[in-house]
Amino acid sequence: MSRPPKPTYKTTNWRSYNQALRRRGSLTVWFDPLMQWKAAPSGRRGRQQTYSDAAIQA
């Protein structure tokens, strides 16, 4: 049994689309400046992690 084709959406009225996005509001994200961004050395073989687990979860 075949699946029905996915509907494709194309924005034709960009002005109203952008106004609708502005009306949705804004999202503000605060980061703790004391959070450890760089990963601590693990002491194991192989490439070290670049970012800490806390930074990845954020």
Side-chain angles (χ1 to χ4, degrees), residues 14-58:
W14 285 100
R15 183 179 177 129
S16 66
Y17 177 76
N18 287 334
Q19 288 173 352
L21 288 177
R22 285 189 204 107
R23 281 193 303 267
R24 285 185 186 179
S26 64
L27 175 67
T28 303
V29 179
W30 292 89
F31 290 104
D32 182 13
L34 302 177
M35 184 172 72
Q36 187 69 25
W37 284 94
K38 296 282 185 176
S42 64
R44 299 185 331 200
R45 290 181 58 175
R47 183 174 180 212
Q48 298 296 321
Q49 291 182 338
T50 304
Y51 298 105
S52 67
D53 291 335
I56 293 171
Q57 286 181 346

